[in-house]
C-alpha cells in the first residue's frame, strides 16, 4: 500500500490518492482526498490502474517504473472503472 505521502513521489498527479496492489493485478485507488491533485485529474476511489501508455501495470512498483520511463512527457493512464476501460492523460 502506498500512502498519500508516497503517491506524490510516484507522480504529482497522484497527490492525494491512496493506492494498493489490487488482488487480480493492477493498482487500486482506495481513497482520493477531496480537492486534491488526484481528484482534479479524475481519479476515483475503486479505480484500478492497469497500464501506463502501452505498458501493463500489475503492482505499485510497475506503476512507479512506468512513470519514471516517461518522466516529463504526456502519458495515458489506463483505468478499469466499473468494468469499463478509460484513459486519463497526465502531463
Amino acid at each position: 500500500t502506498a500512502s498519500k505521502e508516497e503517491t506524490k513521489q510516484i507522480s504529482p498527479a497522484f497527490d492525494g490518492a491512496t493506492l494498493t496492489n489490487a488482488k487480480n493485478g493492477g493498482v487500486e485507488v482506495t481513497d482520493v482526498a477531496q480537492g486534491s491533485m488526484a481528484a482534479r485529474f479524475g481519479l476515483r476511489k475503486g479505480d484500478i490502474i492497469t497500464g501506463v501508455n502501452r505498458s501493463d501495470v500489475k503492482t505499485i512498483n510497475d506503476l512507479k517504473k512506468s512513470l519514471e520511463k516517461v518522466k516529463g512527457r504526456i502519458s495515458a493512464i489506463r483505468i478499469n472503472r466499473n468494468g469499463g476501460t478509460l484513459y486519463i492523460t497526465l502531463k
Side-chain angles (χ1 to χ4, degrees):
T1 302
S3 69
K4 287 185 178 82
E5 290 74 43
E6 292 165 322
T7 54
K8 190 188 214 170
Q9 294 167 355
I10 294 171
S11 166
F14 293 124
D15 187 19
T18 304
L19 306 175
T20 189
N21 291 327
K23 281 182 210 129
N24 299 324
V27 176
E28 185 175 352
V29 179
T30 55
D31 191 34
V32 178
Q34 220 174 349
S36 68
M37 189 62 88
R40 278 181 268 171
F41 268 105
L43 285 176
R44 292 190 196 157
K45 185 177 178 175
D47 284 351
I48 308 284
I49 299 165
T50 58
V52 174
N53 294 338
R54 292 186 178 92
S55 305
D56 286 336
V57 168
K58 293 185 176 15
T59 65
I60 291 170
N61 210 25
D62 289 349
L63 178 63
K64 216 181 276 187
K65 283 181 190 163
S66 296
L67 288 170
E68 279 169 9
K69 280 185 206 162
V70 297
K71 226 177 196 103
R73 293 196 306 254
I74 294 172
S75 47
I77 307 298
R78 188 174 66 233
I79 291 173
N80 184 318
R81 180 180 290 165
N82 301 327
T85 302
L86 68 123
Y87 291 85
I88 292 178
T89 306
L90 302 184
K91 294 177 182 169

